C-alpha cells in the first residue's frame, strides 16, 4: 500500500535532473545575483544511540529564471506548428495517466513542475517514477520543465497544520498562474514578430477554437485549406498532413482566435484542486475530457480508448483505496479456492535474504511448458544448490510474472517435484498440461514469498472469446498474451465487441491476492490477428523495439538525401587523415543487396616480401557527435534490428545507406587497422587511425567466392579479375593461418541455421532459402575477429578501468547434458572441461554416412552456450575478460558501427587512445557499465525478434505452399513425441505420437503394426513402441531419420501460426536393437524375403530404382560369399566362438565383421561376380554357404525346404521382417524367411528400413 504524503515529511529533498533551474545551474543575466537561502523546516530525529539530533533542511531559491523559461516557451511556440495551449498535469494524472503522455508524441507542450515530479517520486512505484523521468528528460518531446520549488516567485511555504498534499496543490496553482502570466507577456511582446514570421498564423487552427468548433461543426473545408497553407509556409509536408487531418476530424476555427495568448490547461482528477484552479480564472479539465475534446476522429480513436481505459483504472483504484483490507480479502480468497500467500514484508525479506533463508533472482518461465518456472542459480544471489530451483504451478509462483526479481524459499525435499518431459499440447490451459514423468528426476523446488522488483512491460494480447460480448458498457474481459509465459490479464473496456480477433497492447497494473489473474488496462490496437503486418508489429512491441521515424530535429543536423551525391569530405578533414584513396585497393564483401556496408578489406604486397592487410570500418563518429541528439537516439536504439522483411535502423538512412556506407566508387571517411604479415603469416606491425578510402569494388559473397574458385563467367569478369583472384586467395591463406592459431587455443566452430526469404510484391514470403556456408564467409569473419581483438587490446591499454569489451562466459555445466546424452547414443564422448576439449570432441563426432549428425551436435553445443555480454573493464577482474567461444583473452566489437552502438563507443575510445588528448577519457567506469547494460538488453531483444520474425515468415511460407513431405532427423525425444529437424529448410518442430488425452496417434502407414503403448526412457534417450506382436519391440533413437509432413497450425488465434510436423514413416533406425541383432543361423536363405522386399519397393519407387538397389544387394551377397569361401576351418571356428560370445550377433554377422573383411577380391573374383549379377538380376539373391554347409547341403535340402515354408508362414503372422546386416537399405517386407537353424529375426518391426549395410 502507498504511504501518505504526511508520512514523508522527513524524506530527503531530492528532485530530478532539471533542464533549467536548480542550485547547480550556471547563473547569468537576471540571475547573476546570489540565491537567497530559505530555511524550509527544522526536524528533530532520535538517533540509534538514543540522543536527539536537530536537522535543518535548506532550500536554495533562484531570484530569476524568466529569461530561461521565456526562451523555452518561444521555442515551443514556433516548434513544428504554432501552438495554442499548454498542459500542466498534477501528480495523480502523472501517476495514473502516464500512458497518455507515452503515446508517441501525440500530447506535447506539457509543463512538468518540480512539485509534481517530487510527489510522484515519493508516492508512486519506482517503475512509474522511471517512466516519468524518461518522458521529462526526453529532449525530443515538447516539454517545459519548471523548477518551481527553486524559484522565489513560485515557491510556496507550508503553513502550520497544513498537509503536504494541500501545500502541493497551492504550489501547483501558484506555478500555473505564473506560467499563464508569462505566456501573456511573451505573446504581447512577440505577437507582431510571430505574425510576420508566419503570415498565415491567423488562419491556423487554434486547438481551443477546435474544441468550440466541435460543438458547432462548421467550416471544415475552409479550415483544411488554411492549415495546409500554413504548413506550406513552414516547408513541412508532414505537418501539413497532420494539421489538415486535425481540421478534417475536428472543424475549423476563426482567425480571431489567435489574437489572444495561448491558454494553460491544468489537468487533474481532484475536485478540490479543480475548484482552486477555476477560482484563479484558469482552465481545468479531467484527462478524459481533454482527450475527447482535442483528439477526435479515426486517427485518435486509440488515444480515446486509452483514456477511457485509464479513467476506469483510476476509478477502481479509488474504490480499492477506500476499501478495508485483511479479513474480507482472506475470506474471499478462501471462497474462490485460491491459495496465494501474502508476500513477506520488505524488511523481513531483506533480513531473510541476508541470512540465506530466501534466494533472490529473476524468475524465468519455460516458454514450452508455462506451468514451470525456474530461478537460475547463475543469476540467484546466495544460491546453495548445484541446480536451478523449480517453481511448479501458479500457486507456488504466487502472482510473480516472468522477468520479475523474486524472493524464493526452498521447499522441504519431500515436496520437490520433477519437470514435465512432454511436448506442449494444451495451448489454452498450460497449467493443466499433462505432465508425464517417466523416470524423471526430481529437482530442488521452491515457492515465491516476495517480490524485490516488478519488471512488467506492455504486452500484446488477444481477447478471450466470449459467447455474448457486452455492448458499449464497461465490462471485465480476459486477455490471452501472445507470450505464452505471461498469465491471462483482466482489463475493463467498453469496446470489447470491437476488439475480438484483434491484437491489442495492454499494461499490467497490479495482481491482488484474491484474483486468479492480474489486472491491467488497454493501451492500443494493432490490427487483425493473423495478418502478417500485424504480427510483425506485435513482435516488435513484445521486444520493446522502436520503429518510430527519426525526429525532424535529428535529421536537421544531417545532409539531405538529395545532397548525398554531391557530398564530399572537407579538405581540412582529409588533411587530418591517412589518405589511401589511390595507394590501396579497398573492396567490400557483403550479402547480396546489402545497403549498410560498414566494413571493407585491402591487401598490399610490400617490396620486402611482407604483406599488409587492412580492415576499414565506416567512421560513424565523424557524423555522430558525442552526446548529440542523434547520439542519444542511437544509444537508445543500440542496434539495427534485421527482420525477415525489413530492418529497424539504429541510424537514419542518410547515414546507414549513404554517407557512412562504404559504397563502391565513392570517397568515405573510415577507421582503419593495418597489419604487416611476414612470409609465415606472423604479425610484425600494427597501425590504427583515421583514413580516407575509395572502394574499388562492392562485391557480394557469391561473387567473391566465384573469383576465388575461378568460376566467374567471362562476361562478368572485370579488367582486374586476375589481380582480385591473387588478392582474395592471399587473404584466404592468411585468414586460414590466423584461424588455425585460434583453433589451437580452443576456438569453437559452432553451427546455426540461417534462413532468408525472397518476397512477393506484397511482402509475403515467396521462397525460403537456407544460407550456404562458403569459404569467403570465413575469410571476412576472421579478419573482423582479428580487428576486434587488436582494438580491444589497444583501448584496454589506454583505459584499463573503463574500456568497453565483450565477455563470453563459460557455459553452465547443466546446459551440456542434452549434448552429452545425444552424442553418447552414437558412441561419441563429449569432453566439456574446456573450450579446446569441446572443440576436439566435436571434430571427432562425425558419422561419415550422415553428416547431419555432426551439424546437429554443433547446434546443440551452440544452444548450450552462455550469452556474450558487453562490460566495462573496471567492473570485474582481468580473469573475467575472456571470450570462451573465440578463445581470446580480450575481445570487443569495432567493425559494425552502422548497426551497433557498442562499436560507436569503441571507435571513440580508440580515437582517444591513439590521439591521447588532454582529458582523454570520455567515459568513466560507471557510465560504460550503464551503457553496456542497456546495450545488452537491446541486443537480446533484437536477437529474439529476428528469430521470431524468421519463424513467423516460415509459417506464412508453408501456409501457402503445397503440403510437403520431407526427410527429418530426430534430435530430441519426449514422453508424447519427439522434436525433428529438417535439413532442407533448416526448420525444427514437434512430432506428436500421443494426443492431448494420451491416445496414441501414430499413423498406420508410418508403422504397420498396431501400437498399444509407447515407453520413453530419458536416461537412455530411447522411445520403445510396443505392439501386440511377440517380436522384439521397435526402438526409436536420436538421429534416426523419419519422413514428416509439414503443415501450419493457425487454429489458435491467440498466438501466431506455427509449424507442425506429422509423422509419415520411419525411414531408418541406424542404432536400434534390431539393427544390431542379426540372424543366428548356420545357413541363410533370403530368396523369398528379397522377393517381398522387391515387390514393396516397386510399389513405392520407380522400377529402375528398385532394380538398381536389388543389383547392389546381389553384389554385396556375392562379395561376402567369395570372401567366406577363402576362410579356413580354424577361421570358421573362430567366427563361431565370436558369435557365441556376442549373443545378439550372428555367425554370419561375425563372418562379415570379424574375418571376412581381411580378404580382398581379385580381378577374377570381380568378373565372376559381375557375370552372376547378370544371371541373377531380378530373380533372387544368392544363398550364402560356409564350407561345412556346402557339404551338408545335399543331405539337408528337403529338411531346409520344409523349414523355410514353416518359417514363412510364421513371419506372415508376426509382421514385417528386416534384412540382416549387410543387406543395405532394402525395406522390410510383410513377412520374413527364416534360416534352417532358426536364427533369423524376420518378424520384428514393420515399416522400418533394412539392415545397416
Amino acid at each position: 500500500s502507498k504511504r501518505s504524503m504526511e508520512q514523508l515529511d522527513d524524506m530527503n529533498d531530492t528532485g530530478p535532473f532539471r533542464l533549467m533551474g536548480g542550485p547547480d545551474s550556471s547563473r547569468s543575466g537576471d540571475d547573476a545575483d546570489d540565491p537567497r537561502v530559505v530555511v524550509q523546516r527544522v526536524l528533530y530525529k532520535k538517533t540509534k544511540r538514543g540522543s536527539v539530533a536537530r536537522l535543518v533542511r535548506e532550500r536554495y531559491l533562484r531570484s530569476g529564471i524568466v529569461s530561461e523559461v521565456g526562451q523555452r516557451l518561444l521555442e515551443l511556440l514556433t516548434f513544428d506548428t504554432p501552438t495554442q495551449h499548454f498542459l500542466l498535469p498534477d501528480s495523480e494524472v502523472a501517476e495514473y495517466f502516464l500512458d497518455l503522455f507515452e503515446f508517441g508524441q501525440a500530447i506535447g507542450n506539457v509543463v512538468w513542475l518540480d512539485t509534481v515530479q517530487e510527489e510522484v517520486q515519493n508516492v508512486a512505484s519506482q517503475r512509474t517514477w522511471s517512466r516519468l523521468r524518461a518522458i521529462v528528460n526526453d529532449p525530443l518531446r515538447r516539454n517545459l520543465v519548471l523548477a518551481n520549488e527553486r524559484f522565489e516567485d513560485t515557491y510556496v511555504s507550508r503553513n502550520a497544520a497544513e498537509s503536504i498534499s494541500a501545500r502541493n496543490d497551492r504550489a501547483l496553482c501558484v506555478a500555473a498562474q505564473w506560467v499563464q502570466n508569462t505566456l501573456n507577456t511573451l505573446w504581447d511582446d512577440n505577437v507582431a514578430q510571430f505574425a510576420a514570421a508566419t503570415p498565415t498564423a491567423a488562419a491556423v487552427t487554434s486547438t481551443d477554437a477546435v474544441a468550440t468548433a466541435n460543438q458547432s461543426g462548421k467550416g471544415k473545408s475552409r479550415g483544411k485549406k488554411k492549415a495546409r497553407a500554413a504548413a506550406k509556409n513552414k516547408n513541412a509536408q508532414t505537418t501539413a498532413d497532420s494539421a489538415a487531418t486535425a481540421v478534417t476530424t475536428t472543424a475549423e476555427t476563426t482567425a480571431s482566435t489567435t489574437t489572444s495568448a495561448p491558454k494553460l490547461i491544468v489537468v487533474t482528477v481532484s475536485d478540490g484542486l479543480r475548484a482552486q484552479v477555476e477560482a484563479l480564472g484558469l482552465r481545468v479539465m479531467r484527462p478524459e475530457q481533454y482527450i475527447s475534446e482535442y483528439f477526435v476522429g479515426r486517427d485518435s480513436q486509440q488515444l480515446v480508448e486509452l483514456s477511457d481505459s485509464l479513467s476506469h483504472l483510476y476509478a477502481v483504484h479509488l474504490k480499492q483505496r477506500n476499501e478495508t483490507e485483511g479479513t474480507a480479502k482472506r475470506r474471499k480468497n478462501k471462497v474462490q479456492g485460491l491459495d496465494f500467500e501474502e508476500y513477506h514484508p520488505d524488511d523481513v525479506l531483506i533480513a531473510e535474504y541476508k541470512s540465506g533463508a530466501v534466494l533472490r533472482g529473476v524468475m524465468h518461465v519455460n516458454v514450452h511448458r508455462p506451468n514451470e518456472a525456474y530461478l537460475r542459480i547463475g543469476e540467484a544471489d546466495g544460491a546453495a544448490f548445484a541446480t536451478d530451483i523449480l517453481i511448479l504451478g501458479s500457486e507456488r509462483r504466487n502472482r510473480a510474472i516472468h522477468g520479475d526479481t523474486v524472493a524464493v524459499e526452498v521447499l522441504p525435499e519431500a515436496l520437490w517435484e520433477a519437470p514435465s518431459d512432454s511436448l506442449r499440447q494444451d495451448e489454452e490451459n498450460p497449467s493443466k498440461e499433462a505432465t508425464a514423468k517417466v523416470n524423471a528426476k526430481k529437482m530442488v523446488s521452491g515457492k515465491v514469498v516476495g517480490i524485490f522488483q516488478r519488471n512488467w512491460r506492455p504486452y500484446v494480447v488477444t481477447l478471450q472469446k466470449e459467447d455474448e460480448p457486452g455492448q458499449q458498457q464497461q465490462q471485465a474481459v480476459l486477455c490471452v498474451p501472445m507470450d505464452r509465459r505471461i498469465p491471462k490479464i483482466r482489463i475493463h473496456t467498453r469496446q470489447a465487441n470491437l476488439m475480438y480477433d484483434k491484437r491489442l497492447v495492454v499494461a499490467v497494473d497490479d495482481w491482488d491476492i484474491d484474483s486468479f489473474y492480474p489486472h491491467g488496462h488497454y493501451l492500443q490496437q494493432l490490427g487483425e490477428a493473423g495478418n502478417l503486418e500485424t504480427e510483425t508489429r506485435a513482435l516488435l512491441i513484445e521486444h520493446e523495439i522502436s520503429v518510430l521515424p527519426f525526429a525532424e530535429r535529428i535529421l536537421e543536423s544531417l545532409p539531405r538525401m538529395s545532397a548525398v551525391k554531391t557530398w564530399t569530405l572537407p579538405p581540412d578533414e582529409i588533411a587530418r587523415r591517412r589518405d589511401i584513396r589511390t595507394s590501396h585497393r579497398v573492396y567490400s564483401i557483403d550479402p547480396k543487396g546489402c545497403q549498410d556496408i560498414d566494413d571493407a578489406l585491402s591487401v598490399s604486397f610490400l617490396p620486402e616480401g611482407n604483406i599488409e592487410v587492412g580492415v576499414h570500418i565506416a567512421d560513424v563518429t565523424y557524423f555522430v557527435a558525442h552526446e548529440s541528439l542523434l547520439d542519444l537516439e542511437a544509444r537508445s536504439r543500440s542496434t539495427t534490428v534485421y527482420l525477415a522483411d525489413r530492418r529497424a535502423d539504429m541510424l537514419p538512412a542518410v547515414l546507414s545507406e549513404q554517407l557512412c556506407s562504404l559504397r563502391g566508387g565513392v570517397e568515405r571517411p573510415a577507421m582503419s587497422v593495418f597489419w604487416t604479415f611476414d612470409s609465415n603469416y606472423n604479425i610484425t606491425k600494427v597501425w590504427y587511425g583515421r583514413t580516407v578510402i575509395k572502394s574499388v569494388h562492392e562485391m557480394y559473397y557469391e561473387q567473391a567466392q566465384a573469383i576465388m574458385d575461378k568460376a566467374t563467367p567471362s562476361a562478368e569478369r572485370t579488367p582486374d579479375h586476375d589481380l582480385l583472384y591473387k588478392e582474395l586467395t592471399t587473404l584466404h591463406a592468411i585468414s586460414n593461418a590466423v584461424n588455425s592459431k585460434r583453433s589451437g587455443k580452443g576456438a569453437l566452430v559452432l553451427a546455426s541455421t540461417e534462413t532468408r526469404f525472397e518476397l512477393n510484391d506484397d511482402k509475403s514470403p515467396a521462397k525460403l532459402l537456407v544460407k550456404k556456408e562458403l569459404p569467403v564467409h570465413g575469410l571476412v569473419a576472421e579478419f573482423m575477429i582479428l580487428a576486434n581483438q587488436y582494438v580491444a587490446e589497444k583501448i584496454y591499454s589506454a583505459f584499463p578501468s573503463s574500456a568497453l569489451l565483450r565477455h563470453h562466459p563459460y557455459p553452465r555445466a547443466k546446459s551440456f547434458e542434452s549434448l552429452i546424452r545425444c552424442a553418447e547414443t552414437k558412441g561419441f564422448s563429449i569432453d566439456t572441461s574446456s573450450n579446446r576439449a569441446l572443440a576436439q570432441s566435436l571434430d571427432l563426432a562425425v558419422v561419415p554416412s550422415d553428416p547431419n549428425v555432426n551439424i546437429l551436435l554443433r547446434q546443440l553445443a551452440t544452444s548450450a552456450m552462455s550469452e556474450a555480454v558487453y562490460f566495462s573493464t573496471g567492473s570485474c577482474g582481468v580473469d573475467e575478460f575472456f571470450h570462451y567461444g573465440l578463445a581470446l583473452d580480450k575481445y570487443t566489437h569495432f567493425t559494425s558501427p552502422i548497426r551497433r552502438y557498442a562499436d560507436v563507443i569503441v571507435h571513440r575510445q580508440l580515437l582517444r587512445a591513439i590521439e591521447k588528448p588532454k582529458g582523454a577519457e570520455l567515459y568513466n567506469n560507471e557510465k560504460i557499465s550503464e551503457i553496456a547494460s542497456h546495450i545488452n538488453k537491446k541486443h537480446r531483444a533484437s536477437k529474439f525478434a529476428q528469430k521470431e520474425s524468421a519463424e513467423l515468415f516460415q509459417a506464412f511460407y508453408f501456409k501457402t505452399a503445397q503440403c510437403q513431405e520431407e526427410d527429418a532427423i530426430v534430435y530430441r525425444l519426449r514422453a508424447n513425441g519427439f522434436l525433428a529437424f529438417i535439413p532442407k529448410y533448416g526448420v525444427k518442430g514437434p512430432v506428436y505420437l500421443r494426443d492431448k488425452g494420451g491416445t496414441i496417434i501414430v499413423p498406420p502407414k508410418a508403422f504397420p503394426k498396431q501400437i498399444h503403448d509407447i515407453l520413453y526412457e530419458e536416461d537412455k534417450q530411447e522411445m520403445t513402441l510396443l505392439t501386440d506382436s511377440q517380436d522384439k519391440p521397435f526402438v526409436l533413437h536420436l538421429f534416426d531419420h523419419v519422413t514428416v509432413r509439414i503443415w501450419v497450425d493457425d487454429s489458435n488465434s491467440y498466438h501466431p501460426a506455427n509449424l507442425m510436423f506429422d509423422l509419415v514413416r520411419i525411414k531408418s533406425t541406424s542404432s536400434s536393437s534390431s539393427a544390431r541383432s542379426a540372424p543366428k543361423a548356420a545357413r541363410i536363405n533370403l530368396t523369398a524375403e528379397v522377393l517381398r522386399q522387391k515387390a514393396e519397393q516397386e510399389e513405392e519407387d520407380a522400377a529402375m530404382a528398385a532394380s538398381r538397389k536389388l543389383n547392389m544387394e546381389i553384389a554385396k551377397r556375392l562379395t561376402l560369399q567369395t570372401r567366406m569361401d577363402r576362410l579356413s576351418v580354424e577361421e570358421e571356428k573362430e567366427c563361431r566362438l565370436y558369435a557365441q560370445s556376442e549373443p545378439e550377433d550372428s555367425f554370419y554377422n561375425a563372418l562379415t565383421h570379424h574375418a571376412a573383411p581381411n580378404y580382398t577380391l581379385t580381378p577374377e573374383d570381380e568378373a565372376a561376380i559381375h557375370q552372376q549379377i547378370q544371371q541373377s538380376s531380378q530373380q533372387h539373391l544368392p544363398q550364402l554357404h560356409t564350407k561345412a554347409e556346402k557339404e551338408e547341403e545335399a543331405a539337408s535340402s528337403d529338411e531346409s525346404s520344409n523349414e523355410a515354408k514353416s518359417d514363412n508362414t510364421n513371419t506372415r503372422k508376426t509382421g514385417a521382417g528386416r534384412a540382416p546386416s549387410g543387406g543395405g537399405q532394402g525395406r522390410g517386407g510383410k513377412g520374413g524367411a527364416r534360416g534352417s537353424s532358426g536364427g533369423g529375426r524376420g518378424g520384428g518391426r514393420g515399416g522400418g528400413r533394412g539392415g545397416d549395410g
Side-chain angles (χ1 to χ4, degrees), residues 336-390:
Q336 291 186 351
L338 294 174
D339 198 22
F340 290 147
E341 296 182 5
E342 293 276 4
Y343 290 145
H344 294 185
D346 291 347
D347 54 345
V348 175
L349 272 184
I350 293 174
E352 290 177 330
Y353 167 60
K354 290 182 177 179
S355 67
V358 300
L359 301 177
R360 172 176 174 162
V362 177
M363 188 185 76
H364 297 269
V365 178
N366 189 332
V367 67
H368 301 294
R369 292 183 289 276
N371 197 38
E372 300 171 4
Y374 297 89
L375 189 74
R376 293 182 178 172
I377 290 302
E379 301 173 0
D381 298 331
F385 298 94
T387 61
D388 294 345
I389 308 300
L390 173 65

Side-chain angles (χ1 to χ4, degrees), residues 5 146 166 247 394 490 595 1249:
M5 290 298 296
L146 179 59
V247 175
S394 58
R490 179 180 284 112
Q595 299 295 317
R1249 287 284 182 181

Side-chain angles (χ1 to χ4, degrees), residues 11 148 219 228 254 283 389 541 654 707 973 1085 1149 1218:
M11 291 191 66
N148 67 306
R228 285 178 174 166
T254 58
R283 191 166 187 195
I389 308 300
I541 290 176
V654 67
I707 294 173
L973 295 172
N1085 187 341
N1149 204 29
R1218 177 176 293 274

